[in-house]
Amino acid sequence: MQQCLFSNPNLQSLPLADAKVQYLANWLDNETADSLLYLFQRELDWSEGEIKIFGKKIKIPRLQAWYGDAGTNYEYSGVTMPPIPWHDDLHTLKARCERQCGTRFNSVLANLYRHGQDSMGMHSDDEPELGTEPIIASVSLGEVRNFDFKHKVNGDKFRLPLEHGSLLIMSGKTQKYWQHGIVKTKKRIEPRINFTFRQILQ
């Protein structure tokens, strides 16, 4: 099984039982992070995605885009998303994640949180096409948002503010035992983009 390989001394391992979660607050320098935030807001193929709840399609509270290699379709809450061909700068960011983690990614889910009312419900990235113990590299750009974890069995909770230019790695049994999400806030905040790079089994 592939494992994330880190040499950065600023790596932080989060105190989550039944999980392997690692965090790098300053993975990208501010100048690079600022440039990518502006670039990706303008150039990615953002859309108002939909999910199915009790057989009914509803719009999700954020914009999203699914990029990847050919054939990396992703099924999420009853909706199948075919991949958009890689944007050059997004592919470069993927390669940097791969070097950091010592693994290969063939797809990414991009989410654009336009304001505080955009959110992500509690869930696990445990779809069959991700395998039993997926490695997921999550890159955040823009406004700091709280990333909440909740244990599926004992209900333990943990909150981590995801900073501009940060990298979060979830691996091991994290998806089996934990859910994660981003709640709404009434604060007036700036946009945030998040990328979750992953390997779809083909």
Side-chain angles (χ1 to χ4, degrees):
M1 182 184 305
Q2 294 174 313
Q3 296 294 329
C4 291
L5 305 174
F6 293 97
S7 59
N8 193 311
N10 296 319
L11 170 67
Q12 174 189 0
S13 293
L14 302 189
L16 302 179
D18 307 316
K20 184 176 183 181
V21 184
Q22 300 161 302
Y23 181 64
L24 287 167
N26 57 345
W27 188 63
L28 298 173
D29 63 78
N30 280 336
E31 183 178 354
T32 300
D34 288 347
S35 176
L36 291 178
L37 174 64
Y38 179 68
L39 173 75
F40 290 139
Q41 277 185 282
R42 290 184 298 112
E43 295 194 5
L44 294 192
D45 190 10
W46 300 107
S47 64
E48 289 187 292
E50 296 180 329
I51 59 175
K52 282 185 179 179
I53 297 181
F54 301 115
K56 183 179 180 181
K57 287 187 177 182
I58 63 171
K59 290 184 177 180
I60 61 174
R62 61 191 176 277
L63 301 183
Q64 67 177 18
W66 175 253
Y67 284 81
D69 297 350
T72 56
N73 291 348
Y74 186 46
E75 292 190 14
Y76 172 71
S77 294
V79 176
T80 299
M81 295 186 293
I84 303 167
W86 288 102
H87 180 287
D88 287 345
D89 292 284
L90 187 55
H91 194 271
T92 298
L93 185 62
K94 175 184 80 81
R96 183 166 178 170
C97 286
E98 291 174 331
R99 290 193 298 271
Q100 179 72 79
C101 292
T103 191
R104 180 177 178 272
F105 302 113
N106 61 11
S107 51
V108 63
L109 179 62
N111 286 296
L112 172 55
Y113 300 84
R114 298 158 291 184
H115 42 66
Q117 290 304 295
D118 276 357
S119 62
M120 172 77 78
M122 297 300 291
H123 69 286
S124 298
D125 294 322
D126 55 2
E127 292 81 7
E129 59 265 36
L130 296 177
T132 56
E133 295 187 8
I135 297 174
I136 296 175
S138 174
V139 179
S140 294
L141 301 171
E143 184 73 51
V144 176
R145 295 292 296 264
N146 289 325
F147 194 68
D148 291 327
F149 289 92
K150 183 177 180 180
H151 198 284
K152 298 179 185 179
V153 179
N154 59 31
D156 283 352
K157 296 180 180 180
F158 186 86
R159 170 168 283 182
L160 176 69
L162 293 179
E163 300 170 78
H164 182 44
S166 66
L167 174 67
L168 179 79
I169 305 293
M170 296 181 287
S171 58
K173 298 184 183 299
T174 305
Q175 306 304 324
K176 179 179 180 180
Y177 288 103
W178 290 84
Q179 291 185 319
H180 54 270
I182 293 179
V183 299
K184 298 178 187 295
T185 176
K186 294 181 180 179
K187 294 181 180 178
R188 190 179 184 88
I189 60 174
E190 296 300 315
R192 168 184 182 261
I193 295 177
N194 176 256
F195 299 103
T196 49
F197 293 93
R198 56 195 74 195
Q199 175 75 13
I200 296 291
L201 303 179
Q202 296 176 285

